[in-house]
Amino acid sequence: FVTGSLASPLVHSLLIHKYQQLLQFKMVFETTGKFQLVVGDDDNYGKIMEAVGIPPEKRQKVISLRPICEYSHDGDQYKVSGSAEGFPERSKNFVLNVEQEETTMDGRKVKSTYKRNGKSMVQHEVQENGSTIVYEREIKGDDMHVKITYGNLVANRVFKRL
């Protein structure tokens, strides 16, 4: 039992630590779940795909899809699984702030780094030519809003929780 002048700083420190633990749990919780694309900024998304070199036939196919993505978390390991009609289900694991090589659904080799920014999960996807696509994902109620930025091109997509 602590009394006197140490009591207040110690209690304050313990409360701050507990609060930070609760915030961390809340942030993890907000980026888990299963979501399906319901609204896509197809025009700008198509322009981004064109800018990174995705052929027209693949762009049309990707724009027509309404993929389902599932996000989960276990300790430092994050996992995202995705499926869409006509494509095999894919999963990838990642750790925050660690760059890793990935192959996109259309076959591009990229290097991705995932970071937390408040309630958002931000992915920096570096292309083979050195350019970067930034995906910012944030849960708002039952929706996951995804802002995709490539240079001065921006596309917004909304996924609904299933």
Side-chain angles (χ1 to χ4, degrees):
F1 188 74
V2 179
T3 60
S5 63
L6 290 178
S8 181
L10 182 59
V11 169
H12 180 72
S13 176
L14 288 171
L15 288 174
I16 287 175
H17 180 69
K18 271 295 180 206
Y19 179 70
Q20 289 171 335
Q21 286 178 327
L22 288 171
L23 280 179
Q24 185 177 10
F25 173 76
K26 185 171 175 50
M27 286 172 40
V28 168
F29 179 75
E30 289 179 349
T31 55
T32 61
K34 194 171 193 176
F35 302 87
Q36 183 168 24
L37 179 66
V38 291
V39 176
D41 183 354
D42 295 340
D43 188 45
N44 282 342
Y45 189 56
K47 289 177 184 176
I48 290 171
M49 288 190 292
E50 181 180 7
V52 297
I54 298 173
E57 63 280 356
K58 284 188 180 179
R59 289 195 307 264
Q60 281 304 107
K61 183 165 185 148
V62 168
I63 286 174
S64 70
L65 298 175
R66 294 297 175 237
I68 295 173
C69 302
E70 185 169 8
Y71 296 84
S72 59
H73 177 271
D74 182 19
D76 289 342
Q77 279 289 326
Y78 287 80
K79 181 179 180 179
V80 61
S81 301
S83 62
E85 189 175 322
F87 285 91
E89 184 170 325
R90 297 173 48 107
S91 293
K92 62 182 169 184
N93 295 315
F94 61 92
V95 175
L96 295 180
N97 304 312
V98 176
E99 184 179 75
Q100 65 184 32
E101 292 185 7
E102 298 177 345
T103 301
T104 63
M105 285 183 72
D106 56 83
R108 290 175 294 120
K109 302 284 185 200
V110 298
K111 292 183 179 179
S112 285
T113 305
Y114 296 81
K115 299 180 179 193
R116 294 300 313 224
N117 182 9
K119 290 193 238 177
S120 298
M121 176 74 70
V122 181
Q123 174 189 1
H124 288 82
E125 182 184 89
V126 180
Q127 311 302 300
E128 288 181 312
N129 67 5
S131 61
T132 302
I133 299 176
V134 178
Y135 300 85
E136 186 172 349
R137 298 170 177 92
E138 183 176 355
I139 307 298
K140 297 179 181 178
D142 282 337
D143 296 337
M144 178 175 60
H145 294 255
V146 182
K147 178 181 175 184
I148 306 165
T149 306
Y150 181 76
N152 62 355
L153 297 171
V154 177
N156 292 289
R157 308 185 94 192
V158 178
F159 292 71
K160 187 64 120 179
R161 187 180 299 274
L162 298 177

